Amino acid sequence: MEKNASGAGVLRGGLFSTAEIKILICYILSAIDEGVPVDMLANVLHFEGIANAFEVSDAVVSLSANGQIVATDDTEQVYKITNTGRETATTLKDSLSSIVKERAYLAVMKMLAKLKNSKDNQFEITHENGATYLSCSAIDGGKPFLTVKLLITDEDQGHFIREKFLENPSAIYSKIIEMLTQ
């Protein structure tokens, strides 16, 4: 296949062909069957070394213009697969390596879980009496059911803790509740 895509940030075994990147996007969207924010998709594929982020964004524009994917939320640029895109994924998925497909799928699933977790939890960094605090709240039915307030060194540490928290907030809350009820 012709290498017509930018290889910046792409690891060995990644995708350098624009056509392959388009097939991968259709494959992922077909496999998860839900809308995905294009900027997050581009970033996660780039971070994993699978495809260049700019090439992913360009491929999304092309797939949208061809009717293979459709925007479901223009403000956040969330795209979902169409029947045409699903046919593309089914027909051409074997042209991609199974390792690339698996890595991309797992990375996108992890990204979507983190996105969902960020919507189900609230975080606030506050400054009180010369100290910095991070409050992490689990939200259920629009109301916080558990809030943890931590003294942190600075906002960078707060952002780091927030990211770690979002990887598995239910495990953190489960441990806290378990410890309090034993």
Side-chain angles (χ1 to χ4, degrees):
M1 236 182 229
E2 181 181 328
K3 293 187 181 213
N4 56 355
S6 170
V10 179
L11 299 176
R12 186 172 172 201
L15 304 179
F16 295 94
S17 161
T18 303
E20 287 177 328
I21 294 169
K22 289 178 185 178
I23 294 166
L24 180 64
I25 293 168
C26 288
Y27 171 80
I28 290 170
L29 293 179
S30 180
I32 60 175
D33 201 29
E34 67 179 271
V36 174
V38 69
D39 60 334
M40 294 181 91
L41 177 64
N43 288 337
V44 79
L45 292 178
H46 183 79
F47 179 76
E48 291 292 321
I50 295 170
N52 178 279
F54 298 111
E55 296 295 337
V56 172
S57 296
D58 288 347
V60 166
V61 170
S62 177
L63 289 168
S64 179
N66 291 337
Q68 292 163 312
I69 62 174
V70 62
T72 60
D73 181 348
D74 288 330
T75 57
E76 293 186 28
Q77 293 189 334
V78 175
Y79 286 85
K80 192 169 182 168
I81 193 86
T82 63
N83 287 336
T84 305
R86 197 174 312 282
E87 289 171 16
T88 300
T90 302
T91 304
L92 301 174
K93 71 180 178 186
D94 291 335
S95 65
L96 300 173
S97 89
S98 59
I99 293 170
V100 167
K101 289 186 293 190
E102 182 178 331
R103 277 183 40 220
Y105 176 78
L106 291 174
V108 170
M109 291 305 291
K110 186 176 179 181
M111 173 203 71
L112 289 173
K114 205 170 190 179
L115 180 64
K116 182 187 179 310
N117 288 339
S118 70
K119 291 179 181 180
D120 294 343
N121 296 276
Q122 290 179 346
F123 302 89
E124 182 180 21
I125 294 177
T126 57
H127 303 279
E128 303 168 20
N129 301 323
T132 305
Y133 294 93
L134 172 65
S135 296
C136 307
S137 299
I139 308 301
D140 186 28
K143 297 178 184 176
F145 73 88
L146 180 64
T147 299
V148 176
K149 187 174 183 178
L150 304 166
L151 175 64
I152 57 175
T153 56
D154 57 23
E155 290 191 20
D156 288 338
Q157 184 184 37
H159 294 297
F160 176 79
I161 292 170
R162 178 186 185 275
E163 291 304 308
K164 285 296 194 181
F165 187 92
L166 288 174
E167 287 178 8
N168 195 351
S170 61
I172 293 167
Y173 287 123
S174 295
K175 289 285 186 190
I176 291 170
I177 292 169
E178 179 183 320
M179 291 177 74
L180 292 173
T181 57
Q182 282 185 351

